[in-house]
Amino acid sequence: MSEYNHKKIEKKWQKKWLDSNIYAAKDFDKKEKFYCLIEFPYPSGERLHVGHGRSYSALDALSRLKRMQGYNVLFPIGWDAFGLPAENYAIKTGIHPSITIKNNIENSKKQLISWGCSFDWDREINTTDPQYYKWTQWIFLKLYEMGLAYKQKMPINWCPSCKTGLANEEVIDGKCERCGAQSERKELSQWMLKITKYADRLIEDLKNVDYLSKISTQQINWIGRSEGAEVLFKAVDTEGKENDMWVFTTRPDTLFGATFMVIAPEHPLVQKLTTKEQEKNVLKYVKDTKFKSDLERQELEKDKTGVFTGSFAINPINNEKIPIWISDYVLMNYGHGAIMAVPAHDERDWDFAKKYDLPIIQVISPIFVDPINPPKKDAENTIRNGVIVIVKHWKEEKYLLDYSPKFNWKCLFTGGIEEGEDPLEAAKREIREETGYQNIKEARYVKLSHIDQFHAPHKGVNRHAYQKNIFIQLADGELKEREEEEKDLHHISWKTKDEMLNEISLINHKYIFETDLMDGQPWTDEGVLMNSEEYNDLKPEEAKEKIITELSKKKLAKKAINYKLRDWIFSRQHYWGEPIPIIHCEKCGEVPVPVKDLPVELPMVEKYEPTGTGESPLAAVESWVNVKCPKCGGSAKRETDTMPNWAGSSWYYIRYVDAKNDKELAARDKMEYWLPVDLYNGGMEHTTLHLLYSRFWYKALFDAGVVPTEEPYKRRHSHGMILGKDNQKMSKSRGNVVNPDEIIENFGGDTFRTYEMFIGPFEDVAAWNEKGVEGVHKFLKRTWNLFELPTEEGEPKIEHEKIINRTIKKVEEDILNFRFNTAVSTLMILLNTLTKEKKQNKIILSKFAIILAPFAPHLAEELWMKLGNTKSVHLEPWPKFDPKMIEDDIVTIVVQINGKVRANIMMNKNSTQKNVEEKALVEENVKKYIGTEKPKKIIYIPNKILNIVI
């Protein structure tokens, strides 16, 4: 029996596949097309990492299956090679980025070939190739022509050490990703792309694509479309003059609860509104804010900070004077850089108000519908004013719990307010009657009031109760004998705070208790208006309309829509990027470079370090910068800012369709055949920026008549991150980085890719496990040994026919549904079954080789040839399963260890527990987790689950 030699087998087939171009897609083939796209790698480092391997291996398996199913598959690859990481590496090493990128691409390509990826190498692209970025520049000019590209002064993140601008994603915890220095805000003239013009379409068109819900949700939240109103507050400055200050709010219904205003530190009125007494504090606060990025300032969990300007604004709804504060949690580029703060109903405003002791006025009353006794349709509806009372012990940290056997309520004390009665007096009366305690030390209102809706069974009516919530502390333990009726209705007992929270059964009572004793909380859900004059008892939506209408008549409000999404800051003051094809002429202004003069090539320079002036290093290359104006022929200068690395990745999927076209972006007929992409897989970290940017570019190109469809991707999927074996994110500093080249050397590409798919559910985060790699390698060696056994012709055994048919069905379904880990475990189950035979059936082995091919393509190809075949296994059709062979006399039993799924085994229906245990305990993944431990208990649910407790 020969040994499994992965090095010899894999090198042989990699060369043959490249020489024969076996995986090339065919334009206009009669087969149905399937365009499968992975995010192309960024070759800034010397090697690709195991994170790339997870996505690429899985999508390669899917592409291989689709080819076998008869599809014309386009599975392309390229290199996203411009941008800051490559420039950083060049600055650090002193080697020009064009050289390091070239070397890194060569290394990365060798890796991908060693992984057995079935890419169409004929369509390989490189974003730093002038013949590629010629068309990136062409798209920019198209956007400029459409009014979607413009230049304006913008505050950006600035690193004083690197002397360059930073994108938000290049600032980590307020510090420069490159050097670790504290970043600050600086105003520079920047090229912008008007992505906000497409905000609504970017949301609405998500209905027309098949994205994972978490991806669509992230996109929608990032765009942050809000419908509301712009409301005019008059800000009275230090000279007593009124200044218009517009505020965008989604909740004009809460205007009566606006007790202060907050403006951004960059707001143009800061100087006018700051009094002499506050000037020192304000100047310091504004300066400190410059060291924070927008992302940091928006963090919900961060401690709120602020400073009072000394001035006040007039609330237009009631003409009340409210203080104007400055805080960094308000951004100048959202709304108008000013907010009305309603602390009773907003978490950030609540935190701010609590910290600086600002007024909190409740204007939305929660409505609680009793789930035990909800209002009845046929009962009379009554309105009453009531009290709900918290009763505290006279000396211990205990509270009185009321248990009503009649209604099975565990609750606080409640009762009605009689006509003309003060709510506090009503609360005292109820407590004396219902508990017998007579002497009261303190009675006060609880912070928030609410409305209860319930059916009162003892009265036979529905109650709509306006509840005043009261806190009472007893003076002592003096008791008066209660009436028998009160004793029957109220069984009282003293409880600790935690016991109260655990035992109170009515959600409204629990809310009141928690709100008062846990230092309060804002009410951010629905309800009806209160403390809002003529708008009281209206629902928020109705109140919004009425308030906007009334204020609009006075020109103090208007309906508005706002977005969190900002226009895309497109320029970078870096060297390593696509030159922006604009020429600046003193006479003609901004002049686009003529299309015939594209590409504007990036000049080779010796010095590519940042200049420190805010200009790109290209500004120093006078021979390149100084040109003639294409319009008037006079002296002019090139734009020296370069594009971000997002530019090339915003359209690369289009170029794959026609990668060598030197006449146009891509031929129209090829785009109509291949686009949109059928499936695009990538990391969740690119869900907001890259995915939004590329959808925006594509939609703009559709509007320009360049591309044939409105959306670039039919379906978007994502994969989970791979952690180091210490369950931490891989990094050199932690020393937990896994080098895929070492895995390939020791175990082979088939082991590497199969383990990457077997490591866990595709969408979940998974930790690298060396024993798992060894286990997969052992599986492949055992598969090799299986094919070394003697073979026989003829019909296979019925039980083997059944398991091979079940395996075909399950593996196919699992691959199509991104359950790669269970597909691999199904193949392991098949192997375990077949190895029990000393002779193997050739029909079964042939099918095994085919269904193994998407996972271990080199091994499958070698085994296929060992069976006497001459044509590649990857050109074979995917076998069809026989429905008769998968009927329920065979069942799949889930094997759990301490409740977690570790394997699936196939058994005859109604197998004994002993037989199921025997088969489960020899499973590799089960043995791995059990080790030498003896199970404490084994629980078996027949034909479904075997749970081993260790």
Side-chain angles (χ1 to χ4, degrees):
M1 183 180 285
S2 61
E3 286 192 9
Y4 173 45
N5 186 333
H6 67 264
K7 291 182 181 178
K8 182 179 177 183
I9 292 169
E10 291 179 1
K11 284 182 180 177
K12 176 177 76 173
W13 289 114
Q14 287 159 15
K15 184 177 186 308
K16 288 193 175 185
W17 293 335
L18 284 171
D19 291 345
S20 63
N21 209 14
I22 189 175
Y23 304 122
K26 296 177 182 176
D27 296 324
F28 316 116
D29 196 270
K30 291 179 181 178
K31 297 176 183 176
E32 185 177 350
K33 66 96 177 177
F34 182 75
Y35 185 172
C36 184
L37 181 68
I38 45 96
E39 290 177 341
F40 61 167
Y42 192 100
S44 59
E46 295 180 11
R47 296 285 187 274
L48 300 179
H49 53 73
V50 294
H52 291 107
R54 189 173 203 191
S55 172
Y56 296 2
S57 297
L59 274 293
D60 182 66
L62 176 62
S63 296
R64 289 179 180 279
L65 171 65
K66 283 288 189 178
R67 286 193 198 94
M68 289 175 155
Q69 288 181 325
Y71 288 84
N72 180 25
V73 174
L74 173 56
F75 187 44
I77 190 64
W79 312 100
D80 186 15
F82 267 135
L84 189 61
E87 186 173 295
N88 286 346
Y89 186 77
I91 291 170
K92 182 179 177 182
T93 62
I95 305 171
H96 197 278
S98 64
I99 297 170
T100 58
I101 284 293
K102 182 176 180 293
N103 293 336
N104 293 346
I105 287 175
E106 287 176 4
N107 292 331
S108 298
K109 185 170 182 176
K110 288 176 184 175
Q111 285 182 288
L112 292 179
I113 291 170
S114 75
W115 298 355
C117 293
S118 60
F119 292 122
D120 182 348
W121 290 104
D122 282 351
R123 298 171 189 261
E124 181 182 3
I125 59 173
N126 180 339
T127 59
T128 65
D129 180 350
Q131 291 310 305
Y132 179 88
Y133 69 72
K134 167 184 179 178
W135 299 107
T136 310
Q137 293 172 339
W138 182 89
I139 294 171
F140 177 87
L141 293 177
K142 187 63 68 175
L143 297 173
Y144 185 82
E145 178 188 311
M146 296 168 72
L148 297 174
Y150 64 97
K151 201 168 191 183
Q152 75 171 36
K153 277 201 167 184
M154 283 289 295
I156 67 163
N157 304 306
W158 177 262
C159 176
S161 174
C162 296
K163 300 174 183 177
T164 187
L166 305 171
N168 276 332
E169 63 273 10
E170 295 160 6
V171 178
I172 310 296
D173 296 327
K175 296 177 180 178
C176 171
E177 183 185 40
R178 173 190 283 172
C179 71
Q182 179 71 54
S183 68
E184 59 187 56
R185 303 288 278 176
K186 186 171 184 176
E187 202 167 74
L188 286 177
S189 185
Q190 301 284 295
W191 279 99
M192 311 287 293
L193 295 187
K194 202 175 289 185
I195 190 174
T196 50
K197 184 177 178 181
Y198 285 77
D200 287 332
R201 283 168 65 183
L202 288 167
I203 293 173
E204 290 300 315
D205 289 350
L206 288 171
K207 297 172 184 174
N208 304 323
V209 293
D210 179 15
Y211 287 6
L212 290 177
S213 60
K214 62 181 179 181
I215 293 174
S216 296
T217 299
Q218 272 200 18
Q219 294 234 313
I220 291 166
N221 291 344
W222 189 265
I223 295 167
R225 185 182 194 274
S226 304
E227 293 186 23
E230 289 182 340
V231 179
L232 180 60
F233 285 71
K234 296 290 185 180
V236 182
D237 63 27
T238 53
E239 297 179 359
K241 295 178 181 178
E242 288 187 346
N243 298 267
D244 287 352
M245 188 179 287
W246 287 96
V247 167
F248 174 81
T249 176
T250 59
R251 297 298 302 271
D253 53 304
T254 63
L255 266 164
F256 284 93
T259 58
F260 59 99
M261 286 190 71
V262 185
I263 62 175
E266 305 88 354
H267 198 286
L269 287 179
V270 164
Q271 189 173 352
K272 277 189 174 184
L273 297 174
T274 300
T275 61
K276 286 183 179 179
E277 294 80 6
Q278 294 297 113
E279 188 174 18
K280 184 178 178 181
N281 293 335
V282 168
L283 287 174
K284 182 180 185 306
Y285 189 83
V286 170
K287 183 181 178 182
D288 290 346
T289 302
K290 289 182 178 180
F291 296 105
K292 298 180 182 179
S293 71
D294 287 354
L295 292 178
E296 283 182 278
R297 288 168 60 176
Q298 292 179 84
E299 286 177 11
L300 292 176
E301 302 303 319
K302 81 177 186 76
D303 183 41
K304 302 297 178 291
T305 61
V307 61
F308 179 41
T309 63
S311 295
F312 294 82
I314 306 300
N315 187 337
I317 200 74
N318 55 14
N319 291 320
E320 293 283 338
K321 283 177 69 177
I322 59 175
I324 302 171
W325 285 68
I326 298 169
S327 179
D328 61 12
Y329 78 84
V330 177
L331 301 179
M332 195 61 222
N333 59 9
Y334 179 76
H336 297 275
I339 66 164
M340 62 178 217
V342 185
H345 306 291
D346 181 272
E347 289 180 9
R348 293 187 309 175
D349 298 345
W350 172 277
D351 291 342
F352 197 87
K354 296 290 287 183
K355 181 170 182 176
Y356 295 106
D357 197 25
L358 295 165
I360 298 173
I361 299 175
Q362 182 187 359
V363 291
I364 299 293
S365 177
I367 297 177
F368 292 104
V369 178
D370 188 343
I372 299 172
N373 291 291
K376 292 187 176 179
K377 288 183 180 179
D378 54 352
E380 179 188 353
N381 293 311
T382 61
I383 294 176
R384 82 163 185 175
N385 295 315
V387 290
I388 296 178
V389 189
I390 301 170
V391 180
K392 188 180 181 187
H393 197 275
W394 53 94
K395 62 180 180 180
E396 296 181 36
E397 275 296 318
K398 289 189 175 180
Y399 302 85
L400 208 51
L401 181 70
D402 183 14
Y403 171 58
S404 173
K406 186 173 181 179
F407 308 122
N408 195 28
W409 287 343
K410 286 186 178 181
C411 54
L412 304 175
F413 295 87
T414 183
I417 302 173
E418 295 174 0
E419 191 171 346
E421 189 176 26
D422 178 79
L424 291 174
E425 291 305 314
K428 293 175 185 178
R429 173 179 53 76
E430 290 288 350
I431 293 310
R432 290 180 177 123
E433 291 174 0
E434 295 179 0
T435 72
Y437 288 105
Q438 297 300 301
N439 301 326
I440 293 169
K441 180 182 179 181
E442 177 193 4
R444 62 170 172 79
Y445 290 105
V446 172
K447 297 176 180 71
L448 295 178
S449 59
H450 73 283
I451 294 169
D452 282 339
Q453 292 180 345
F454 59 95
H455 180 72
H458 58 302
K459 302 287 186 181
V461 297
N462 294 332
R463 295 286 199 201
H464 185 90
Y466 293 89
Q467 305 285 28
K468 294 291 185 182
N469 305 318
I470 313 292
F471 172 90
I472 281 179
Q473 181 163 9
L474 299 175
D476 53 44
E478 183 183 335
L479 281 165
K480 182 181 178 181
E481 187 69 20
R482 293 180 291 168
E483 295 180 7
E484 290 302 317
E485 182 184 2
E486 297 292 352
K487 288 181 181 179
D488 291 340
L489 280 173
H490 306 285
H491 293 195
I492 63 175
S493 57
W494 289 103
K495 303 287 182 181
T496 65
K497 188 185 292 185
D498 288 341
E499 288 170 339
M500 290 288 283
L501 285 170
N502 286 330
E503 294 187 36
I504 293 173
S505 59
L506 301 180
I507 57 170
N508 52 336
H509 288 216
K510 184 175 285 191
Y511 164 73
I512 296 159
F513 187 82
E514 190 172 27
T515 296
D516 189 60
L517 298 180
M518 303 303 183
D519 198 31
Q521 57 185 332
W523 179 257
T524 57
D525 290 334
E526 291 301 307
V528 295
L529 267 68
M530 62 180 289
N531 294 328
S532 299
E533 298 179 2
E534 69 266 32
Y535 305 102
N536 284 344
D537 295 330
L538 292 179
K539 290 184 177 179
E541 287 306 314
E542 187 180 0
K544 284 179 189 178
E545 288 295 322
K546 287 182 178 290
I547 288 172
I548 293 171
T549 299
E550 287 303 310
L551 290 179
S552 295
K553 291 176 184 176
K554 303 173 187 177
K555 297 185 178 179
L556 294 173
K558 54 191 174 185
K559 287 187 177 181
I561 296 173
N562 203 43
Y563 302 88
K564 287 182 182 176
L565 181 70
R566 301 291 94 198
D567 278 349
W568 177 4
I569 299 176
F570 191 68
S571 52
R572 297 287 186 272
Q573 292 71 48
H574 300 153
Y575 165 68
W576 193 242
E578 302 93 330
I580 293 174
I582 294 291
I583 291 170
H584 299 281
C585 173
E586 286 189 14
K587 181 180 177 183
C588 306
E590 294 170 357
V591 181
V593 171
V595 172
K596 67 179 179 62
D597 293 337
L598 298 181
V600 177
E601 292 198 31
L602 186 67
M604 287 292 290
V605 296
E606 289 185 13
K607 293 185 177 181
Y608 35 79
E609 293 83 1
T611 60
T613 63
E615 290 184 297
S616 158
L618 292 175
V621 188
E622 293 185 7
S623 60
W624 182 83
V625 171
N626 297 319
V627 291
K628 297 292 183 184
C629 173
K631 200 170 182 180
C632 70
S635 296
K637 293 181 180 294
R638 292 192 188 278
E639 172 62 59
T640 58
D641 282 2
T642 54
M643 300 184 194
N645 62 300
W646 303 107
S649 64
S650 289
W651 75 280
Y652 72 111
Y653 52 91
I654 304 173
R655 189 61 175 175
Y656 282 143
V657 165
D658 197 7
K660 295 181 172 62
N661 194 328
D662 59 357
K663 300 289 191 297
E664 54 190 333
L665 196 73
R668 180 76 186 195
D669 56 352
K670 291 183 181 180
M671 288 192 288
E672 287 175 351
Y673 175 75
W674 286 112
L675 296 174
V677 172
D678 294 284
L679 174 67
Y680 188 17
N681 185 81
M684 283 301 292
E685 68 274 16
H686 295 144
T687 295
T688 47
L689 299 177
H690 161 66
L691 200 59
L692 271 178
Y693 292 161
S694 59
R695 289 181 65 218
F696 157 53
W697 272 37
Y698 192 84
K699 285 180 179 297
L701 290 172
F702 174 78
D703 290 348
V706 177
V707 295
T709 56
E710 288 204 48
E711 281 288 330
Y713 322 116
K714 280 185 184 178
R715 187 179 177 195
R716 170 76 179 191
H717 208 87
S718 70
H719 58 278
M721 181 186 295
I722 291 186
L723 306 176
K725 55 188 176 183
D726 56 358
N727 279 306
Q728 299 291 318
K729 187 175 179 180
M730 288 190 193
S731 71
K732 289 180 181 178
S733 61
R734 290 193 182 100
N736 64 351
V737 174
V738 176
N739 182 351
D741 294 356
E742 291 177 7
I743 306 296
I744 302 294
E745 175 66 23
N746 296 328
F747 300 102
D750 283 341
T751 295
F752 173 72
R753 56 185 285 132
T754 304
Y755 174 69
E756 289 267 23
M757 287 182 265
F758 185 59
I759 196 170
F762 188 63
E763 294 173 36
D764 293 355
V765 173
W768 193 267
N769 185 305
E770 290 177 5
K771 287 185 178 179
V773 177
E774 292 168 5
V776 168
H777 188 62
K778 186 177 178 182
F779 158 66
L780 296 181
K781 283 173 70 176
R782 290 176 62 226
T783 302
W784 171 269
N785 293 338
L786 179 77
F787 280 72
E788 289 285 287
L789 293 173
T791 57
E792 58 186 8
E793 306 289 340
E795 292 298 314
K797 293 180 180 180
I798 189 71
E799 60 266 32
H800 291 169
E801 279 200 76
K802 284 186 175 182
I803 194 168
I804 197 71
N805 276 276
R806 288 178 181 280
T807 304
I808 291 166
K809 180 177 185 292
K810 179 151 177 46
V811 168
E812 179 180 340
E813 289 174 351
D814 282 354
I815 292 176
L816 294 175
N817 290 287
F818 290 84
R819 297 191 295 262
F820 301 99
N821 58 321
T822 55
V824 175
S825 64
T826 302
L827 290 171
M828 292 176 173
I829 292 167
L830 173 64
L831 176 64
N832 289 340
T833 302
L834 296 180
T835 49
K836 293 175 183 177
E837 303 293 332
K838 291 182 179 179
K839 271 193 173 184
Q840 296 299 317
N841 181 273
K842 201 169 180 181
I843 294 172
I844 298 294
L845 290 182
S846 296
K847 290 180 179 179
F848 190 175
I850 294 171
I851 57 179
L852 178 68
F855 305 93
H858 310 92
L859 176 60
E861 189 81 286
E862 186 73 13
L863 297 177
W864 181 249
M865 297 304 171
K866 280 170 70 75
L867 292 173
N869 299 292
T870 55
K871 188 176 73 169
S872 173
V873 69
H874 303 294
L875 300 178
E876 287 295 306
W878 185 260
K880 296 187 182 298
F881 65 86
D882 183 350
K884 292 178 183 177
M885 289 289 170
I886 58 170
E887 291 174 359
D888 286 340
D889 55 338
I890 302 286
V891 293
T892 299
I893 295 172
V894 175
V895 181
Q896 298 176 335
I897 299 176
N898 291 347
K900 292 188 177 181
V901 177
R902 298 304 183 191
N904 293 285
I905 58 174
M906 297 176 77
M907 300 290 296
N908 290 324
K909 193 173 184 180
N910 299 322
S911 292
T912 65
Q913 180 171 342
K914 183 183 177 184
N915 288 340
V916 175
E917 287 179 18
E918 287 176 353
K919 186 158 186 180
L921 291 170
V922 298
E923 285 290 311
E924 290 298 326
N925 210 41
V926 173
K927 288 196 293 184
K928 179 178 79 175
Y929 284 95
I930 292 179
T932 58
E933 284 193 55
K934 186 177 180 181
K936 291 181 180 179
K937 187 181 359 176
I938 297 179
I939 302 162
Y940 179 53
I941 300 173
N943 301 317
K944 292 183 179 178
I945 298 171
L946 183 79
N947 187 21
I948 302 167
V949 182
I950 58 173

